[in-house]
């Protein structure tokens, strides 16, 4: 007889106090003779028999308490089920016969928490120069920096295609006042609740990943007054603001680097030099304009992170009071060349942010796997390229993160997603920032060659998967774009150029994300993954959502009911499909290239 199991760190299944954890495991089907909670309080196995505490509809709930691990922040645990003739394990990756590796057991941080507000948000990423121009007078004029040893600026008309040969030197005029002017669109029309802005600090480039002054908002974006106004307007609306911090490197026009080039010993110590010549400096990925800072140098830590007037703390304070930081290439920040002692550096970043505002969001940029940074003592969450963007890109667009061919069926997709989830605490799962595309990638609609049905599938998946969804500006209107800088086109405010059906779809699914608690904080339960179809549920103790993706033709499938019992009927919310009871669960009828959402609640 099959066994269904459920445990995750959601209310009703995990309780915590200063002394111990209370853990609950639900089992349906062939009940074991003994259920054990397995921990390692001193790096040696400890098995504690769990007690049945209630039963309903074939499910039995088992419970046990355990002390926090005394020797480390993370408490690691799994469950062992024993019958007379067999045994198996329950880990974060599901049921398994073999004892699970420690990388896949459940884990929870004792001392480090994730701000609860994060998973309730729908983020919207804005590249400021390309969203909306609020004050044309502040836009850089062509040739503004001529004669100043800098690149020649080029002022462009709104809506023209970015020129790859100009890169960071062309300006279209988007600014912070322009964002303020469009807050009604963002909040009321689209429904987003939080903004993440690409860098806004003083720089001669449009992208501003080469800061010249970390304590000045670029005048071409409106200056500090414009940031204070944007923050005030957002917070009055109950919205949040996250800014981009680029502390791994500076511009060659930063005063520190200018002094280093004049052989000032203290300024040279701020950067990574490999020889005595002024040209012997390490730059980010070989880009000569981005000299790398040395995080072993105490003055860098003081000025950027730990000091009372440190940059990272300054913008967390009024009148700006931002709600968090996205840390650019956080995994590369370290001592000397390379990323030596990076983990220590990231812990210092965390302590600096949380000392100023414990409820602030620490988001790390990682284009690949970020598991080791997401164990509680470093980042709250990462830009989830590895655990979301790359797998859904392969499933729907048939390519990997480098745009090489990669085909995944639903089973392979589900496996990739589960593996990524299982290696980090559930709190970090909820704080992962999920995106389909960004300022660093081709637009998802372009990868799909404009195929709208699959694109809407991707948007629906973004807004229902575990983690925090983030739309990149223009996703909602199917704004296309290829490689950088084409992925940074101007947002068109001519509504005749919008894809109206996709906008309406996005609006509907954003509202569902905000209305259904299980989509915000619920555990993910895989239910079906065969061929072109994947079905999963988001689960809280008193509410559930059921999501089905079908990238192929219309089909009927049978899905086994492995969900906790709720005395409520399924309600269809969005998408083309139907659900009816079957012998062991439900029969789903799904339209071609579709995503469907149902929910039920005991409330």
């Amino acid at each position: 007889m099959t066994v269904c199991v459920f445990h995750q760190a959601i209310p009703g299944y995990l309780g915590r106090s200063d002394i111990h954890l209370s853990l609950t495991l639900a089992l349906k089907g062939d009940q074991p003779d003994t259920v054990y909670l397995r921990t390692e309080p001193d790096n040696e196995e400890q098995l504690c028999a769990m007690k049945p505490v209630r039963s309903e509809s074939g499910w039995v709930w088992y419970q046990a308490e355990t002390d926090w691990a005394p020797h480390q922040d993370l408490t690691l645990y799994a469950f062992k089920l024993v019958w007379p003739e067999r045994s198996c394990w329950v880990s974060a990756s599901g049921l398994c016969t073999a004892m699970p590796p420690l990388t896949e057991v459940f884990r929870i941080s004792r001392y480090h928490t994730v701000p609860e507000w994060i998973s309730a948000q729908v983020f919207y990423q804005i590249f400021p120069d390309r969203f909306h121009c609020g004050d044309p007078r502040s836009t850089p004029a062509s040739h503004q920096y001529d004669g100043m040893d800098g690149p020649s600026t080029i002022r462009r008309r709104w809506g023209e295609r970015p020129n790859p040969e100009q890169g960071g030197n062309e300006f279209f005029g988007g600014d912070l006042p322009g964002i303020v002017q469009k807050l009604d669109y963002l909040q009321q029309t689209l429904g987003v609740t939080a903004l993440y802005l690409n860098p806004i600090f003083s720089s001669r480039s449009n992208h501003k990943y080469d800061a010249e002054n970390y304590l000045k908002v670029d005048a071409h974006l409106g200056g500090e007054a414009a940031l204070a106004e944007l923050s005030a307007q957002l917070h009055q609306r109950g919205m949040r603001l996250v800014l981009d911090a680029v502390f791994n490197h500076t511009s060659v026009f930063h005063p520190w680097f200018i002094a280093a080039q004049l052989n000032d010993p203290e300024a040279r110590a701020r950067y990574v030099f490999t020889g005595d010549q002024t040209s012997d400096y390490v730059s980010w990925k070989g880009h000569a304009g981005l000299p790398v800072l040395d995080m072993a140098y105490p003055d860098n830590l003081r000025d950027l992170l730990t000091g009372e007037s440190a940059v990272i703390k300054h913008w967390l304070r009024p009148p700006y009071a931002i709600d968090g930081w996205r840390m650019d290439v956080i995994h590369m920040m370290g001592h000397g060349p390379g990323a030596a002692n990076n983990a220590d550096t990231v812990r210092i970043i965390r302590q600096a942010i949380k000392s100023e505002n414990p409820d602030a969001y620490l988001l790390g940029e990682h284009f690949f796997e970020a598991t080791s940074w997401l164990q509680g003592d470093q980042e709250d969450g990462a830009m989830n390229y590895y655990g979301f963007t790359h797998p859904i890109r392969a499933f729907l667009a048939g390519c990997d993160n480098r745009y090489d061919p990669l085909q995944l069926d639903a089973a392979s997709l589900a496996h990739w997603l589960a593996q990524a989830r299982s290696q980090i605490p559930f709190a970090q799962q909820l704080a992962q920032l999920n995106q389909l595309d960004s300022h660093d990638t081709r637009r998802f609609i372009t990868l799909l060659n404009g195929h709208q049905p699959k694109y809407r599938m991707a948007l629906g998946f973004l807004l229902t998967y575990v983690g925090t969804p983030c739309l990149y500006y223009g996703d909602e209107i199917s704004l296309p774009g290829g490689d950088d800088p084409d992925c940074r086109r101007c947002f068109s405010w001519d509504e005749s150029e919008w894809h109206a059906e996709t906008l309406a779809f996005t609006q509907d699914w954003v509202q569902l994300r905000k209305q259904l608690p299980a989509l915000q904080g619920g555990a993910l339960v895989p239910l079906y993954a065969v061929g072109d179809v994947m079905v999963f549920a988001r689960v809280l103790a008193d509410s559930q959502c059921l999501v089905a993706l079908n990238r192929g033709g219309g089909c009927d499938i049978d899905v086994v009911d492995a969900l906790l019992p709720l005395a409520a009927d399924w309600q269809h919310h969005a998408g083309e499909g139907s659900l009816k009871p079957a012998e062991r669960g439900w029969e789903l009828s799904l339209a071609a290239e579709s995503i469907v959402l149902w929910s039920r609640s005991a409330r």
Side-chain angles (χ1 to χ4, degrees):
M1 183 178 180
T2 59
V3 177
C4 297
V5 299
F6 177 78
H7 171 78
Q8 193 46 274
I10 63 172
Y13 291 83
L14 180 141
R16 53 187 295 162
S17 71
D18 292 340
I19 300 172
H20 61 253
L21 291 167
S22 175
L23 302 169
T24 301
L25 176 71
L27 295 174
K28 177 184 178 183
D30 186 10
Q31 295 295 316
D33 287 14
T34 310
V35 177
Y36 291 106
L37 168 65
R38 183 193 188 275
T39 57
E40 291 188 355
D42 50 7
N43 290 339
E44 181 68 19
E45 177 180 79
Q46 177 173 290
L47 294 174
C48 172
M50 304 184 74
K51 298 178 180 179
V53 292
R54 70 183 181 96
S55 61
E56 177 188 345
S57 303
W59 286 85
V60 179
W61 283 261
Y62 296 82
Q63 198 169 79
E65 290 185 351
T66 185
D67 291 340
W68 292 98
H71 63 292
Q72 62 185 21
D73 175 52
L74 285 179
T75 295
L76 308 178
Y77 62 95
F79 304 97
K80 186 178 184 181
L81 316 181
V82 181
W83 293 265
E85 303 296 331
R86 62 189 177 97
S87 65
C88 69
W89 294 85
V90 182
S91 71
S93 58
L95 274 170
C96 52
T97 302
M99 181 177 175
L102 289 180
T103 55
E104 295 183 13
V105 300
F106 295 101
R107 59 199 57 233
I108 184 167
S109 172
R110 180 178 186 179
Y111 300 111
H112 302 284
T113 59
V114 172
E116 293 183 358
W117 62 266
I118 297 170
S119 63
Q121 306 305 307
V122 177
F123 270 86
Y124 193 85
Q125 180 191 349
I126 293 176
F127 192 91
D129 184 59
R130 309 295 159 82
F131 184 64
H132 180 58
C133 179
D135 184 359
R137 297 171 299 175
S138 66
T139 306
S142 292
H143 310 294
Q144 179 158 335
Y145 299 125
D146 286 7
M148 301 173 60
D149 296 325
S152 180
T153 58
I154 299 173
R155 183 164 180 169
R156 302 288 304 279
R157 289 193 303 272
W158 195 264
E160 291 181 326
R161 289 280 291 277
N163 185 341
E165 296 182 0
Q166 300 301 329
N169 303 334
E170 54 184 1
F171 293 83
F172 290 82
D175 52 25
L176 301 185
I179 298 173
V180 171
Q181 292 172 15
K182 295 300 181 181
L183 288 181
D184 281 350
Y185 166 79
L186 292 169
Q187 183 184 44
Q188 298 174 19
T189 301
L190 188 56
V192 299
T193 64
L195 301 186
Y196 148 47
L197 306 187
N198 287 106
I200 62 172
F201 302 118
S202 292
S203 163
R204 304 185 193 194
S205 70
N206 57 46
H207 56 72
K208 308 203 179 302
Y209 283 95
D210 50 352
E212 297 182 26
N213 189 333
Y214 291 113
L215 292 173
K216 292 289 184 181
V217 175
D218 198 293
H220 301 308
L221 296 178
E224 292 89 277
L227 177 62
E229 176 66 14
L230 173 60
S231 179
Q233 292 284 344
L234 287 169
H235 291 141
Q236 286 173 16
R237 293 167 178 260
M239 299 175 72
R240 304 276 185 164
L241 176 63
V242 171
L243 296 185
D244 208 330
V246 189
F247 295 165
N248 179 70
H249 46 266
T250 70
S251 166
V252 291
F253 301 108
H254 194 290
W256 294 345
F257 191 74
I258 292 173
Q261 292 292 283
L262 296 174
N263 288 316
D264 179 296
E266 293 184 1
R268 279 181 64 92
R270 288 186 181 271
Y271 294 89
V272 181
F273 280 86
T274 58
D276 296 331
Q277 302 300 312
T278 57
S279 60
D280 294 335
Y281 63 90
V282 174
S283 60
W284 180 76
K285 303 288 282 184
H287 294 279
L290 302 174
V292 169
L293 290 167
D294 190 347
M295 288 299 147
Y297 187 56
D299 286 6
N300 282 340
L301 294 179
R302 180 198 65 205
D303 294 340
L304 296 174
L305 303 172
T306 62
E308 179 60 24
S309 301
V311 172
I312 206 165
K313 297 178 181 179
H314 174 77
W315 301 105
L316 288 165
R317 296 168 179 164
Y320 315 106
I322 69 169
D323 298 287
W325 287 103
R326 180 263 196 191
M327 303 297 298
D328 185 61
V329 294
I330 191 171
H331 54 289
M332 301 180 75
M333 297 172 66
H335 296 186
N341 298 314
N342 172 259
D344 291 339
T345 301
V346 179
R347 291 187 186 102
I348 291 171
I349 293 171
R350 180 181 185 86
Q351 195 281 330
I353 291 174
K354 302 297 183 177
S355 69
E356 189 64 37
N357 179 4
D359 212 30
Y361 185 20
L362 172 52
L363 172 68
E365 183 210 16
H366 302 265
F367 210 70
F368 302 96
E369 185 183 358
T371 300
S372 65
W373 288 268
L374 295 168
Q375 298 304 309
D377 62 338
Q378 297 183 56
E379 300 164 22
D380 292 321
M383 296 187 75
N384 198 14
Y385 288 109
Y386 173 76
F388 179 83
T389 312
H390 295 172
I392 195 63
R393 176 186 293 171
F395 182 66
L396 291 178
C399 62
D400 67 8
N401 61 304
R402 297 297 186 189
Y403 312 113
D404 295 323
L406 177 61
Q407 303 289 335
L408 293 184
D409 63 6
S412 298
L413 171 65
H415 176 75
W416 186 336
L417 295 169
Q419 186 178 53
R421 289 193 309 273
S422 67
Q423 298 180 81
I424 64 176
F426 184 63
Q428 271 65 34
Q429 293 181 34
L430 293 178
Q432 292 283 75
L433 194 78
N434 298 331
Q435 291 184 277
L436 297 175
D437 40 32
S438 74
H439 63 291
D440 285 328
T441 72
R442 297 175 191 173
R443 296 273 186 170
F444 206 89
I445 187 64
T446 297
L447 292 176
L448 293 172
N449 296 314
H451 191 74
Q452 293 292 338
K454 284 187 177 178
Y455 184 57
R456 288 192 285 274
M457 283 181 63
L459 287 168
F461 187 53
L462 172 70
L463 291 160
T464 54
Y465 189 66
V466 64
T468 302
C470 181
L471 297 162
Y472 180 43
Y473 78 99
D475 280 352
E476 72 276 18
I477 58 169
S478 296
L479 182 66
D483 291 327
D484 173 17
D486 195 45
C487 57
R488 305 172 183 182
R489 297 186 193 183
C490 296
F491 190 101
S492 173
W493 293 101
D494 179 354
E495 295 186 24
S496 68
E497 298 181 1
W498 297 2
H499 196 285
E501 188 175 355
T502 295
L503 176 60
F505 179 96
T506 307
Q507 291 169 314
D508 290 345
W509 287 72
V510 164
Q511 290 305 316
L512 290 169
R513 174 79 186 203
K514 293 159 61 177
Q515 292 168 7
L516 299 172
L519 292 182
Q520 300 171 28
L524 190 142
V525 179
L527 294 172
Y528 183 95
V530 179
D532 292 323
V533 179
M534 183 174 75
V535 182
F536 64 92
R538 298 290 306 281
V539 173
L540 290 173
D542 57 359
S543 64
Q544 301 170 352
C545 292
L546 188 67
V547 183
L549 293 87
N550 174 27
R551 71 176 179 188
C555 64
D556 297 330
I557 61 169
D558 291 324
V559 177
V560 174
D561 180 4
L563 298 183
L564 300 167
L566 279 182
D569 294 329
W570 289 107
Q571 176 185 354
H572 174 264
H573 287 286
E576 189 177 348
S578 63
L579 175 156
K580 62 182 181 181
E583 182 178 355
R584 298 178 58 207
W586 314 285
E587 180 182 309
L588 304 186
S589 293
L590 306 176
E593 296 182 328
S594 64
I595 182 167
V596 194
L597 172 64
W598 297 267
S599 78
R600 62 183 182 183
S601 173
R603 298 175 183 178

